[in-house]
Amino acid sequence: MSKKVSMAVIRRLPKYHRYLADLLDKEVYRISSKELSEIIGFTASQIRQDLNNFGGFGQQGYGYNVEELYNELSKILGLDKSYNTIILGAGNLGQALANYSGFRRSGFKVKALFDINPRLVGIKIQDLEVMDVEKMEEFIKKEDITIAVICTPKEKAQESANKLIEYGIKGIWNFAPMDITVPENIKVEEVNLSESLYVLSYMLNDGLM
Amino acid sequence: MSKKVSMAVIRRLPKYHRYLADLLDKEVYRISSKELSEIIGFTASQIRQDLNNFGGFGQQGYGYNVEELYNELSKILGLDKSYNTIILGAGNLGQALANYSGFRRSGFKVKALFDINPRLVGIKIQDLEVMDVEKMEEFIKKEDITIAVICTPKEKAQESANKLIEYGIKGIWNFAPMDITVPENIKVEEVNLSESLYVLSYMLNDGLM
């Protein structure tokens, strides 16, 4: 898979994956791009184009084999891989994410939380320990941690990212409300809650202008 | 504004808004769609098309007036409006969101948190009280609350949404990891953290297949 696929396409893949999972739950095993279009809200042509980026899944006159497509998307999304993960920042958000069921449904295995606050260090969140940031470098190296979730205050996000990368982290899920800058070989996914909130604001305001 | 704008366009608006704010911070007051394209990563033609949905902002040979466009987008996004808001579920995620700075930068005014857990009822998160869900109906009506943020467990999300709507809520920001079903006149924005996590997973896996 050397062809460069655009981020816009990639951002649609999890949605396909989710709707296909729903179809499998409902024991639907075959679907046309037109039917899929009605469920998922993209045009049939968009769906065919998106999926063609990864090889031809559909068959003229038959449509898509739901299970096959679901399994292929799981592989494309790397959900069959496993990544040792830590959470940096064990405040409310870090603790909430430690319990996040999405980690268990994907390949991200959370191994520990880290914090600078002595009142948090040593407590347990489910079966995960909150450790002192002083021990983070050693832990990352010894436990082969490749992913970090940043839940620090905004002001600490970039500095934290720099350290994590120095210690060997390859991917960052950033919840701090500011974009971080990283070298090209590091993968970052920014969670922009404000974009989601602004969409709600738009919808509430729609038609009132 | 009666023309129906597609959700795909709407989901791009907060990004324009954010990048324009950055430009203003850097005292850039004028920008071409080509320059904007380089910063934001959409094609210049996409940008012109998107913004044309809301009237012609750019001028041939001049480009966009950054401040004007920013102000217009703020209005389109309804960021100049005000919405009384509650958070349902005062666990870690609810508490984290009670401190979320994005609420202050938009029109959402969080007035209280509600929970069913007696150990949480009565505590204060910053200056916000955690109240008993038994008092939610009265509070929503008396305080003219129109927005609710759902931070309950997955199993309680739909039931909570039903009650909130019955009590008069018009918009829901749903953090429970399942989509909720609502009447057509109610606006819902689902926060799909798993979609974001899966994009990170894809990026980590890219090129390895």
Side-chain angles (χ1 to χ4, degrees), chain A residues 1 4-5 7 10-11 13-15 17-19 54 75-79 81 83 92-93 95-97 99-103 105-106 108 147 170-173 175 177 179 187-207 209, chain B residues 1 4-5 7 10-11 13-15 17-19 54 75-79 81 83 92-93 95-97 99-103 105-106 108 147 170-173 175 177 179 187-207 209:
Chain A
M1 181 102 6
K4 190 74 191 160
V5 179
M7 277 311 288
I10 293 161
R11 293 207 167 276
L13 297 183
K15 210 171 275 295
H17 188 266
R18 185 154 59 94
Y19 280 90
F54 304 95
K75 268 192 245 168
I76 291 166
L77 289 169
L79 300 178
K81 300 286 193 310
Y83 303 103
N92 286 315
L93 181 60
Q95 293 189 29
L97 286 171
N99 292 319
Y100 174 52
S101 59
F103 285 127
R105 282 182 279 110
S106 59
F108 297 89
I147 309 298
K170 302 297 177 210
I172 293 174
W173 203 21
F175 280 79
D179 290 0
K187 311 295 183 184
V188 177
E189 170 69 5
E190 306 276 355
V191 179
N192 277 306
L193 285 185
S194 70
E195 293 189 6
S196 171
L197 187 64
Y198 288 9
V199 168
L200 178 59
S201 179
Y202 173 89
M203 291 189 293
L204 291 163
N205 194 47
D206 191 23
M209 294 181 67
Chain B
M1 180 102 7
K4 190 75 190 160
V5 180
M7 277 311 288
I10 293 161
R11 294 208 166 275
L13 297 183
K15 211 172 274 296
H17 189 265
R18 186 155 59 94
Y19 280 92
F54 303 95
K75 268 192 245 167
I76 290 166
L77 288 169
L79 300 178
K81 300 285 193 310
Y83 303 104
N92 285 315
L93 181 60
Q95 292 190 29
L97 286 171
N99 292 319
Y100 174 53
S101 58
F103 285 126
R105 282 182 279 109
S106 60
F108 297 91
I147 309 297
K170 301 296 178 212
I172 293 174
W173 202 21
F175 280 80
D179 289 2
K187 311 296 185 183
V188 177
E189 170 69 6
E190 305 276 355
V191 178
N192 277 307
L193 285 186
S194 71
E195 293 190 5
S196 172
L197 187 63
Y198 287 9
V199 168
L200 178 60
S201 179
Y202 173 88
M203 291 189 292
L204 293 164
N205 194 45
D206 191 21
M209 293 181 67

Side-chain angles (χ1 to χ4, degrees), chain B residues 4 7-8 19 24 29 46 48 79 82 84 90 105 117 137 151 164 170 176 185 208:
Chain B
K4 190 75 190 160
M7 277 311 288
Y19 280 92
L24 285 178
Y29 296 110
Q46 171 92 79
R48 284 191 300 268
L79 300 178
S82 176
N84 289 334
R105 282 182 279 109
N117 182 344
E137 179 172 7
C151 300
L164 288 163
K170 301 296 178 212
N185 62 325
L208 301 177

Side-chain angles (χ1 to χ4, degrees), chain A:
Chain A
M1 181 102 6
S2 57
K3 186 158 69 101
K4 190 74 191 160
V5 179
S6 83
M7 277 311 288
V9 175
I10 293 161
R11 293 207 167 276
R12 286 193 287 270
L13 297 183
K15 210 171 275 295
Y16 288 115
H17 188 266
R18 185 154 59 94
Y19 280 90
L20 290 166
D22 286 351
L23 287 171
L24 284 178
D25 278 349
K26 289 176 194 151
E27 307 192 352
V28 177
Y29 296 109
R30 181 178 149 176
I31 195 162
S32 68
S33 52
K34 183 156 173 291
E35 290 164 316
L36 196 52
S37 160
E38 277 154 23
I39 300 170
I40 204 166
F42 309 146
T43 65
S45 124
Q46 171 92 79
I47 291 173
R48 285 192 300 268
Q49 258 185 49
D50 282 354
L51 298 177
N52 274 343
N53 278 295
F54 304 95
F57 293 118
Q59 268 181 290
Q60 193 77 40
Y62 177 88
Y64 296 103
N65 176 320
V66 176
E67 195 167 9
E68 189 185 285
L69 187 53
Y70 174 81
N71 289 336
E72 281 302 316
L73 281 177
S74 296
K75 268 192 245 168
I76 291 166
L77 289 169
L79 300 178
D80 54 340
K81 300 286 193 310
S82 176
Y83 303 103
N84 289 334
T85 304
I86 57 167
I87 296 174
L88 178 53
N92 286 315
L93 181 60
Q95 293 189 29
L97 286 171
N99 292 319
Y100 174 52
S101 59
F103 285 127
R104 290 187 288 279
R105 282 182 279 110
S106 59
F108 297 89
K109 310 296 170 210
V110 180
K111 297 292 184 180
L113 294 89
F114 287 87
D115 208 288
I116 202 167
N117 182 344
R119 282 189 309 172
L120 292 173
V121 172
I123 68 167
K124 288 228 168 187
I125 314 297
Q126 308 271 55
D127 54 344
L128 295 170
E129 199 183 335
V130 178
M131 301 175 67
D132 193 315
V133 279
E134 293 293 324
K135 298 190 177 153
M136 195 165 68
E137 180 172 7
E138 191 193 334
F139 190 87
I140 286 175
K141 291 173 179 169
K142 208 176 105 196
E143 301 289 330
D144 192 25
I145 306 292
T146 53
I147 309 298
V149 184
I150 296 185
C151 299
T152 66
K154 186 174 168 172
E155 302 71 35
K156 295 282 183 185
Q158 184 64 56
E159 180 191 328
S160 301
N162 297 349
K163 272 193 199 158
L164 288 163
I165 293 163
E166 187 192 319
Y167 301 160
I169 289 292
K170 302 297 177 210
I172 293 174
W173 203 21
N174 181 30
F175 280 79
M178 69 161 288
D179 290 0
I180 53 177
T181 308
V182 299
E184 220 169 276
N185 62 325
I186 307 296
K187 311 295 183 184
V188 177
E189 170 69 5
E190 306 276 355
V191 179
N192 277 306
L193 285 185
S194 70
E195 293 189 6
S196 171
L197 187 64
Y198 288 9
V199 168
L200 178 59
S201 179
Y202 173 89
M203 291 189 293
L204 291 163
N205 194 47
D206 191 23
L208 299 177
M209 294 181 67

Side-chain angles (χ1 to χ4, degrees), chain B residues 21-101:
Chain B
D22 287 351
L23 287 170
L24 285 178
D25 278 348
K26 290 177 193 152
E27 306 192 351
V28 176
Y29 296 110
R30 181 178 149 178
I31 194 162
S32 68
S33 53
K34 185 158 171 290
E35 291 164 316
L36 196 53
S37 160
E38 278 154 22
I39 300 170
I40 204 167
F42 309 145
T43 65
S45 124
Q46 171 92 79
I47 291 172
R48 284 191 300 268
Q49 257 185 50
D50 282 353
L51 298 177
N52 274 343
N53 278 296
F54 303 95
F57 292 118
Q59 268 182 291
Q60 192 78 40
Y62 177 89
Y64 295 104
N65 177 321
V66 176
E67 193 167 10
E68 189 186 286
L69 187 53
Y70 174 81
N71 289 336
E72 281 302 315
L73 281 177
S74 297
K75 268 192 245 167
I76 290 166
L77 288 169
L79 300 178
D80 54 340
K81 300 285 193 310
S82 176
Y83 303 104
N84 289 334
T85 303
I86 57 166
I87 296 174
L88 179 53
N92 285 315
L93 181 60
Q95 292 190 29
L97 286 171
N99 292 319
Y100 174 53
S101 58

